Amino acid sequence: MNTRTETGFTPIDPALYAKAFQLLDPAPEPTAPADPAAPSPVSVILAAAPPVHRPGPVEKTLTDALAFLDTHGWAKLRLIHPEGARCSIGALRAAAGTRDAAYRDAGNLLLDEARRQHGNQWEAIPVWNDSHTGAQVRGVWEAAIQRAHHQNI
């Protein structure tokens, strides 16, 4: 049986490798012995990290629509203004992309909030949008987003 032991590799200098690893990962400086009563650094980091909020689909749709209004502008009396501004329902459609459950629920929540703030006579978002100022419309959007956030939807 012929077993070849010659690998053809260049021999290494162990001292060179030791120096390279020392440069990459220097030895930590000596510290005082840890207080057993003190929390570990990992538990301090975990305790200090706030919980991450992941918006639900309704909150995300409403937030994206309001961001669209902030970016492109708000319009009255038309769905889409020639310069790109939109009314509330136009912004909602742009943010949702499709008329799925999140779109419908976001629209219902927005209309419900409009009725809470401006009376129950509003039958649809476009009519309410066209009957109010930009500040009033924005206030309803912000309140609807807060409701969606608190309801975690």
Side-chain angles (χ1 to χ4, degrees), residues 58-89:
V58 173
E59 180 184 354
K60 182 175 180 348
T61 301
L62 290 168
T63 302
D64 290 350
L66 184 56
F68 186 93
L69 290 174
D70 289 342
T71 303
H72 294 66
W74 171 71
K76 280 179 125 173
L77 305 174
R78 53 179 41 181
L79 185 67
I80 303 172
H81 190 275
E83 294 177 6
R86 294 192 182 211
C87 72
S88 291
I89 197 71

Side-chain angles (χ1 to χ4, degrees), residues 20-153:
F21 283 113
Q22 181 184 20
L23 291 172
L24 291 172
D25 188 22
E29 295 182 18
T31 58
D35 179 8
S40 71
V42 172
S43 64
V44 171
I45 292 170
L46 292 177
V52 175
H53 172 71
R54 291 191 174 91
V58 173
E59 180 184 354
K60 182 175 180 348
T61 301
L62 290 168
T63 302
D64 290 350
L66 184 56
F68 186 93
L69 290 174
D70 289 342
T71 303
H72 294 66
W74 171 71
K76 280 179 125 173
L77 305 174
R78 53 179 41 181
L79 185 67
I80 303 172
H81 190 275
E83 294 177 6
R86 294 192 182 211
C87 72
S88 291
I89 197 71
L92 195 57
R93 288 178 183 172
T98 61
R99 296 184 188 180
D100 59 4
Y103 164 80
R104 287 188 301 276
D105 292 346
N108 287 335
L109 185 62
L110 184 66
L111 184 58
D112 184 61
E113 187 58 37
R115 289 174 177 158
R116 287 174 97 186
Q117 291 187 27
H118 301 286
N120 288 329
Q121 71 271 25
W122 307 110
E123 294 295 321
I125 292 171
V127 178
W128 160 78
N129 179 86
D130 295 345
S131 302
H132 292 86
T133 67
Q136 291 171 320
V137 170
R138 182 171 189 83
V140 169
W141 276 97
E142 290 172 349
I145 291 168
Q146 283 301 313
R147 285 179 59 193
H149 176 81
H150 291 299
Q151 293 175 10
N152 200 27
I153 56 172

